[in-house]
Amino acid sequence: AQSVTQLGSHVSVSEGALVLLRCNYSSSVPPYLFWYVQYPNQGLQLLLKYTSAATLVKGINGFEAEFKKSETSFHLTKPSAHMSDAAEYFCAVSDRSGGYNKLIFGAGTRLAVHP
Amino acid sequence: DTEVTQTPKHLVMGMTNKKSLKCEQHMGHRAMYWYKQKAKKPPELMFVYSYEKLSINESVPSRFSPECPNSSLLNLHLHALQPEDSALYLCASSQDWTSGGETQYFGPGTRLLVL
């Protein structure tokens, strides 16, 4: 079965600093990987997804993620944090082992941005 | 348009009440999902409908009853809930259910409180 591990349940950065949110996956087949963001009291919004077309994936709001097969990682980065980036971030892998497309989520990382 | 709408936004109900949650999408998606999300946790899959038929029930108690009247609409009927069922209920949709890498688009959720 596929799984996702997000290292660090809380990450705190200063406004303008680099954002790095870590995600490692376990998959026996080439994975489809996703990053979603959830702002307080809202649903999940897709930031970006990896579908094997390119290892560096650019998403919305200045975020990007790099797929590294050798490290089984899909870390999310943003060069300069804004206050509005404060939210919960979920990494997810598409699990096709059951013959259907089920999203397996990591535990989430709460990003805090301080002035 | 990648919008999934959910009503109501908030719902308070007693343990003997019957209520329904509604979800709608007009993206022509053929797969629709219900998730349950407890505070500070990732979403947990409850049900999947594919082409208006129930494809997956993740061992959800019978006090939750899903319904898919047509390809755009998904309901979740609630009856005799317990306080531990209080959570954010998220609806999502995707183009397909069986293909890998399909993006799931989430609604804003219904925050349910069971007294």
Side-chain angles (χ1 to χ4, degrees):
Chain A
Q2 291 157 312
S3 65
V4 171
T5 302
Q6 291 184 241
L7 296 174
S9 59
H10 289 83
V11 170
S12 182
V13 300
S14 299
E15 192 172 20
L18 171 72
V19 175
L20 171 61
L21 304 182
R22 299 178 187 273
C23 173
N24 288 88
Y25 68 90
S26 170
S27 175
S28 58
V29 297
Y32 293 112
L33 294 160
F34 304 79
W35 275 101
Y36 282 89
V37 61
Q38 186 174 31
Y39 298 102
N41 299 312
Q42 294 189 26
L44 277 68
Q45 180 182 8
L46 179 71
L47 277 176
L48 50 82
K49 74 175 185 181
Y50 169 75
T51 57
S52 78
T55 56
L56 184 62
V57 183
K58 293 189 183 298
I60 62 170
N61 302 339
F63 284 94
E64 63 182 37
E66 186 172 9
F67 174 73
K68 291 188 177 180
K69 184 178 178 181
S70 61
E71 298 176 9
T72 61
S73 69
F74 189 57
H75 301 331
L76 183 71
T77 60
K78 181 173 180 177
S80 176
H82 295 158
M83 298 294 288
S84 59
D85 293 326
E88 187 84 22
Y89 291 79
F90 293 101
C91 182
V93 65
S94 177
D95 182 359
R96 290 165 284 155
S97 59
Y100 50 83
N101 182 24
K102 179 177 177 178
L103 275 183
I104 306 297
F105 287 94
T109 297
R110 181 164 297 275
L111 175 67
V113 182
H114 51 87
Chain B
D1 182 11
T2 57
E3 188 177 29
V4 176
T5 60
Q6 290 186 245
T7 54
K9 284 182 69 82
H10 302 274
L11 180 62
V12 180
M13 60 186 292
M15 289 188 284
T16 59
N17 292 159
K18 286 185 180 180
K19 297 287 185 184
S20 296
L21 310 184
K22 179 180 173 182
C23 172
E24 200 160 4
Q25 58 88 12
H26 295 287
M27 295 177 276
H29 289 171
R30 303 319 301 257
M32 296 185 75
Y33 312 75
W34 279 115
Y35 286 87
K36 174 182 178 180
Q37 186 180 26
K38 300 286 276 184
K40 303 185 190 305
K41 297 289 187 184
E44 299 173 17
L45 183 65
M46 300 174 71
F47 303 103
V48 181
Y49 272 83
S50 177
Y51 290 83
E52 302 164 43
K53 294 198 182 322
L54 183 63
S55 296
I56 299 292
N57 176 342
E58 293 281 294
S59 302
V60 179
S62 60
R63 57 186 184 268
F64 295 91
S65 176
E67 178 196 20
C68 188
N70 60 58
S71 60
S72 300
L73 194 55
L74 187 66
N75 297 321
L76 185 63
H77 303 298
L78 314 173
H79 174 54
L81 294 193
Q82 303 297 308
E84 59 264 30
D85 296 321
S86 299
L88 181 67
Y89 288 84
L90 295 164
C91 175
S93 71
S94 66
Q95 187 66 42
D96 196 356
W97 166 238
T98 57
S99 300
E102 287 292 337
T103 298
Q104 292 186 26
Y105 296 91
F106 286 80
T110 293
R111 188 158 301 279
L112 174 67
L113 177 62
V114 182
L115 300 176

